Structure formats: structure tokens, C-alpha cells
Amino acid sequence: MCASHLSAYVEKRIGNNMRNYKMIKGRRRIGIAVSGGKDSQVMMHAMRKLIGKDRRRELIAITVDEGIRGYRDKSIECVVKYAELLGIEHHIFSFNDFAVQMDALMNKGRTDPCSYCGVFRRWILNKASRELSLDALAIGHNLDDVVQTLQLNIMRNEPLRIARFTPNGGVFNDRMFVPRIRPMFNIPEKEIIVYALIKSIPFHNGECPYAGHALRNPVREFINDMESKYPGIKFRMLNSYLSLLNHLNFPALRDNSILRCSSCGEPSSSKICKRCSFLNSAISHS
Ligand code: SF4
């Protein structure tokens, strides 16, 4: 494809995804989770282009600062400038206020940073989205992220997370849970990078210093290796997952039996949410 056809193709799929999965239907304030990396910067650009002129809707960008010096501070600079250029309201929420900063956690000798980081980030994103009265929060997961996450959730025995990881994540009908939408869930990472280059979208290309600890790395390598040997396998994994979703039937989802964390009051699948139990364990190791 030439540059103009590829960029039109990417935008068309994002638009189709939002329409076919009813991602913004009936929703007025749409949040965009933006880290400053290629995926979220592309998503902010595309959503601004596709729905930015719709006067019935507002776009609000949210960035979570995990406290990783030399990495997140640089990517945040990128978001701040680009959100301003696009005229999108932007808010930053810090681990410092709601959790433990990742640098501080790693200084305590932790070896599993991504587990903590992911739990804290998801908790903050939901709370921040609610405080900003968002009707949905767009997450920049691409096809590669989706199939890796699916594989990781299987390996970690996380059936509820598998069921909840949908393109339009409104599985729990709970007033305290802001639905996540994934407008780029079926777009390969390579196409997103090319789209960013074609459109001259600025993004931070650095790698988190703690990324080497992630189980995602070998999973990514395995799936990429399979894709090079058996082209199309990522799409087949995605399509298997979408077909399976129609048959998943968990009582916790059916009954909408989401609980409230007895410590922080946020939605949780157990008595104490993971953020609070991780926070307690991080503090007790200090
Ligand atoms: Fe957090 Fe791990 Fe991602 Fe670094 S690589 S930002 S520690 S989830």
C-alpha cells in the first residue's frame, strides 16, 4: 500500500471498530489513556480526527505517571505537547498519590515490577475516569498486545480477565466501573508504527528500564516467531478469542456480582482489591 492508502485503511478500521462494537454510542465524555508511546499517540490522533468535530462528544486524555525516571517523564513531555497541539484536555495522575512509585518499589528489591505496575495503573485509570465523569476510556491496545495479553491470561490462569478483555469492555454493569474500549484491537503493531511515521505523529520510543522482567517478553517473541513461520496466526488467535467470548459464561459476570474493596471502596472481585493488597505488601517490605 502507498502511504495515503495505508493511513486511510488504519483510520477506516478504527472508525469501523468504534461503530461495529458501539464503543462510543450514547457516550459523551470519551477518555483516552495516553502514555506517549506510539499506540496511544496514534489513537489520540485518530480519535481526534474521527470524532473530534462531533460537538456532542468531548475527548479527554489521561496519563498515569508510574514514577520511572528517564522513561515516563520523557514520554509525558511528548503527550503534553501533542495533546496541546490537538487541543485535547489532558490530565496526569501519579503513582505518588495513589500507590508506590515504581523506582521506589524497585529500590526495595522487587523482582516483579510489571505485576505491581499493571494493578496500580488499572486502579488509578478507573478512579481517574470516574472522577473526570468519563463514559468510557479508550486504551491503545493493538492486535499484538491483545493476542499477547490473551496468552498471558491463559498462562496465569486468569479466566475473569480473559472474559473482560473485550473490544468494548462493558462486561460489568457497575456504576463505579468505567468501561474500557479498544478501538485498535485488530490493527497490527507494525501498521501503527508506519501510520505514526506517515502522519509525523510524535511519540516516545524509549523502553521502560524494568521491561526486562516482564513475562510478556518471551510471549511476544514466541508469537512473533509463530507469525513469521505461519503468517496470519495473530489474526487467527484474535478471531478464535472473539468467537470464544460469545460462549464464556462466568457466574461472576452473569450476576454482575462485583464487590467493593473493604479498604478503598473501589470495585473489586475480592474482599480486598489487588491494589490495596499489593500496597500493603509493598509497605510491609519497606
Ligand atoms: Fe510498568 Fe512493566 Fe510497563 Fe515498565 S514495563 S511501565 S514496569 S508494566
Side-chain angles (χ1 to χ4, degrees), residues 66 68 71-72 102 113-114 117-118 121 208 210-211 214:
E66 300 95 340
I68 305 172
Y71 169 65
R72 185 57 75 218
M102 289 310 295
C114 299
C117 190
R121 191 188 314 111
C208 171
Y210 309 128

Side-chain angles (χ1 to χ4, degrees), residues 163 240-250 253:
S240 297
Y241 173 52
L242 294 176
S243 308
L244 269 175
L245 270 180
N246 297 325
H247 302 284
L248 294 175
N249 187 16
F250 293 101
L253 299 178

Side-chain angles (χ1 to χ4, degrees), residues 184-200:
M184 310 196 303
F185 74 95
N186 54 2
I187 303 182
E189 183 179 42
K190 280 183 185 166
E191 291 177 23
I192 298 215
I193 296 172
V194 175
Y195 180 88
L197 297 174
I198 292 169
K199 296 286 180 184
S200 302

Side-chain angles (χ1 to χ4, degrees), residues 67 102 162 230 240 263:
M102 289 310 295
I162 293 171
Y230 308 101
S240 297
S263 177

Side-chain angles (χ1 to χ4, degrees), residues 90-268:
H90 179 224
H91 300 262
I92 301 172
F93 293 82
S94 169
F95 269 30
N96 205 24
D97 300 322
F98 302 102
V100 179
Q101 296 214 323
M102 289 310 295
D103 285 343
L105 200 69
M106 292 308 281
N107 285 340
K108 288 176 185 147
R110 284 280 161 193
T111 53
D112 49 354
C114 299
S115 309
Y116 282 81
C117 190
V119 165
F120 290 154
R121 191 188 314 111
R122 283 191 294 273
W123 186 94
I124 291 173
L125 280 174
N126 189 57
K127 190 175 170 61
S129 301
R130 224 180 42 242
E131 283 177 10
L132 292 167
S133 305
L134 302 182
D135 298 311
L137 178 68
I139 307 284
H141 285 139
N142 60 42
L143 171 70
D144 296 63
D145 298 324
V146 169
V147 294
Q148 288 160 22
T149 303
L150 173 62
Q151 190 63 48
L152 282 164
N153 285 337
I154 291 171
M155 292 166 90
R156 289 176 177 143
N157 187 21
E158 297 262 21
L160 276 178
R161 293 190 62 82
I162 293 171
R164 283 156 49 184
F165 197 76
T166 59
N168 184 359
V171 178
F172 288 120
N173 187 16
D174 186 289
R175 69 185 169 79
M176 289 188 75
F177 188 79
V178 178
R180 310 272 162 97
I181 56 176
R182 297 179 173 84
M184 310 196 303
F185 74 95
N186 54 2
I187 303 182
E189 183 179 42
K190 280 183 185 166
E191 291 177 23
I192 298 215
I193 296 172
V194 175
Y195 180 88
L197 297 174
I198 292 169
K199 296 286 180 184
S200 302
I201 296 170
F203 62 89
H204 181 243
N205 201 18
E207 189 180 45
C208 171
Y210 309 128
H213 295 265
L215 178 57
R216 186 175 286 272
N217 295 332
V219 168
R220 181 191 299 115
E221 274 172 35
F222 167 72
I223 295 175
N224 283 344
D225 184 44
M226 294 295 283
E227 178 72 28
S228 67
K229 288 177 182 151
Y230 308 101
I233 210 159
K234 290 179 188 173
F235 276 112
R236 288 198 290 280
M237 284 177 76
L238 173 70
N239 290 335
S240 297
Y241 173 52
L242 294 176
S243 308
L244 269 175
L245 270 180
N246 297 325
H247 302 284
L248 294 175
N249 187 16
F250 293 101
L253 299 178
R254 195 176 56 239
D255 299 336
N256 279 332
S257 56
I258 195 151
L259 308 172
R260 297 282 177 266
C261 170
S262 59
S263 177
C264 67
E266 288 294 305
S268 169

